[in-house]
mmCIF file of all heavy atoms in Angstrom:
data_model
loop_
_atom_site.group_PDB
_atom_site.id
_atom_site.type_symbol
_atom_site.label_atom_id
_atom_site.label_comp_id
_atom_site.label_asym_id
_atom_site.label_seq_id
_atom_site.Cartn_x
_atom_site.Cartn_y
_atom_site.Cartn_z
ATOM 1 N N MET V 144 -0.787 2.582 0.750
ATOM 2 C CA MET V 144 0.036 3.631 0.146
ATOM 3 C C MET V 144 -0.540 3.962 -1.224
ATOM 4 O O MET V 144 -0.956 3.077 -1.966
ATOM 5 C CB MET V 144 1.487 3.182 -0.012
ATOM 6 C CG MET V 144 2.373 4.268 -0.625
ATOM 7 S SD MET V 144 4.125 3.833 -0.756
ATOM 8 C CE MET V 144 4.096 2.468 -1.892
ATOM 9 N N LEU V 145 -0.557 5.235 -1.532
ATOM 10 C CA LEU V 145 -0.901 5.723 -2.864
ATOM 11 C C LEU V 145 0.368 6.324 -3.434
ATOM 12 O O LEU V 145 1.040 7.111 -2.772
ATOM 13 C CB LEU V 145 -2.009 6.770 -2.763
ATOM 14 C CG LEU V 145 -2.559 7.332 -4.072
ATOM 15 C CD1 LEU V 145 -4.007 7.755 -3.880
ATOM 16 C CD2 LEU V 145 -1.740 8.480 -4.603
ATOM 17 N N GLN V 146 0.700 5.928 -4.668
ATOM 18 C CA GLN V 146 1.901 6.452 -5.314
ATOM 19 C C GLN V 146 1.527 7.070 -6.651
ATOM 20 O O GLN V 146 0.780 6.486 -7.431
ATOM 21 C CB GLN V 146 2.921 5.346 -5.543
ATOM 22 C CG GLN V 146 4.181 5.832 -6.214
ATOM 23 C CD GLN V 146 5.182 4.708 -6.462
ATOM 24 O OE1 GLN V 146 4.906 3.548 -6.199
ATOM 25 N NE2 GLN V 146 6.345 5.058 -6.967
ATOM 26 N N THR V 147 2.050 8.260 -6.893
ATOM 27 C CA THR V 147 1.897 8.881 -8.213
ATOM 28 C C THR V 147 3.255 8.916 -8.882
ATOM 29 O O THR V 147 4.296 8.982 -8.221
ATOM 30 C CB THR V 147 1.338 10.320 -8.110
ATOM 31 O OG1 THR V 147 2.238 11.121 -7.339
ATOM 32 C CG2 THR V 147 -0.051 10.329 -7.497
ATOM 33 N N SER V 148 3.249 8.855 -10.204
ATOM 34 C CA SER V 148 4.475 9.009 -10.981
ATOM 35 C C SER V 148 4.133 9.747 -12.268
ATOM 36 O O SER V 148 2.960 9.949 -12.597
ATOM 37 C CB SER V 148 5.148 7.657 -11.249
ATOM 38 O OG SER V 148 4.271 6.769 -11.894
ATOM 39 N N CYS V 149 5.147 10.113 -13.021
ATOM 40 C CA CYS V 149 4.995 11.075 -14.106
ATOM 41 C C CYS V 149 4.032 10.659 -15.215
ATOM 42 O O CYS V 149 3.269 11.469 -15.708
ATOM 43 C CB CYS V 149 6.351 11.415 -14.697
ATOM 44 S SG CYS V 149 7.136 10.029 -15.562
ATOM 45 N N GLY V 150 4.094 9.443 -15.677
ATOM 46 C CA GLY V 150 3.244 9.028 -16.783
ATOM 47 C C GLY V 150 3.677 9.555 -18.136
ATOM 48 O O GLY V 150 2.909 9.497 -19.108
ATOM 49 N N PHE V 151 4.887 10.059 -18.240
ATOM 50 C CA PHE V 151 5.360 10.631 -19.503
ATOM 51 C C PHE V 151 5.367 9.618 -20.640
ATOM 52 O O PHE V 151 5.233 9.972 -21.800
ATOM 53 C CB PHE V 151 6.762 11.217 -19.349
ATOM 54 C CG PHE V 151 6.845 12.407 -18.430
ATOM 55 C CD1 PHE V 151 8.077 12.812 -17.940
ATOM 56 C CD2 PHE V 151 5.723 13.126 -18.056
ATOM 57 C CE1 PHE V 151 8.183 13.910 -17.099
ATOM 58 C CE2 PHE V 151 5.802 14.214 -17.221
ATOM 59 C CZ PHE V 151 7.041 14.603 -16.739
ATOM 60 N N GLY V 152 5.532 8.348 -20.338
ATOM 61 C CA GLY V 152 5.588 7.315 -21.372
ATOM 62 C C GLY V 152 4.238 6.739 -21.759
ATOM 63 O O GLY V 152 4.157 5.892 -22.646
ATOM 64 N N VAL V 153 3.154 7.209 -21.116
ATOM 65 C CA VAL V 153 1.811 6.697 -21.424
ATOM 66 C C VAL V 153 1.287 7.424 -22.663
ATOM 67 O O VAL V 153 1.245 8.657 -22.693
ATOM 68 C CB VAL V 153 0.849 6.909 -20.227
ATOM 69 C CG1 VAL V 153 -0.556 6.477 -20.580
ATOM 70 C CG2 VAL V 153 1.367 6.163 -19.003
ATOM 71 N N PRO V 154 0.883 6.701 -23.700
ATOM 72 C CA PRO V 154 0.403 7.360 -24.922
ATOM 73 C C PRO V 154 -0.945 8.046 -24.718
ATOM 74 O O PRO V 154 -1.668 7.759 -23.772
ATOM 75 C CB PRO V 154 0.268 6.205 -25.922
ATOM 76 C CG PRO V 154 0.142 4.985 -25.095
ATOM 77 C CD PRO V 154 0.866 5.240 -23.807
ATOM 78 N N LEU V 155 -1.253 8.952 -25.622
ATOM 79 C CA LEU V 155 -2.557 9.623 -25.621
ATOM 80 C C LEU V 155 -3.569 8.776 -26.378
ATOM 81 O O LEU V 155 -3.269 8.228 -27.442
ATOM 82 C CB LEU V 155 -2.447 10.997 -26.290
ATOM 83 C CG LEU V 155 -1.675 12.050 -25.508
ATOM 84 C CD1 LEU V 155 -1.398 13.262 -26.400
ATOM 85 C CD2 LEU V 155 -2.447 12.471 -24.270
ATOM 86 N N PHE V 156 -4.771 8.663 -25.815
ATOM 87 C CA PHE V 156 -5.873 7.945 -26.460
ATOM 88 C C PHE V 156 -7.141 8.757 -26.312
ATOM 89 O O PHE V 156 -7.313 9.474 -25.323
ATOM 90 C CB PHE V 156 -6.109 6.575 -25.805
ATOM 91 C CG PHE V 156 -5.083 5.543 -26.143
ATOM 92 C CD1 PHE V 156 -4.062 5.241 -25.260
ATOM 93 C CD2 PHE V 156 -5.141 4.854 -27.340
ATOM 94 C CE1 PHE V 156 -3.120 4.287 -25.556
ATOM 95 C CE2 PHE V 156 -4.196 3.888 -27.648
ATOM 96 C CZ PHE V 156 -3.178 3.605 -26.758
#
Side-chain angles (χ1 to χ4, degrees):
M144 181 177 64
L145 184 151
Q146 180 181 4
T147 60
S148 56
C149 67
F151 294 164
V153 176
L155 290 168
F156 286 100

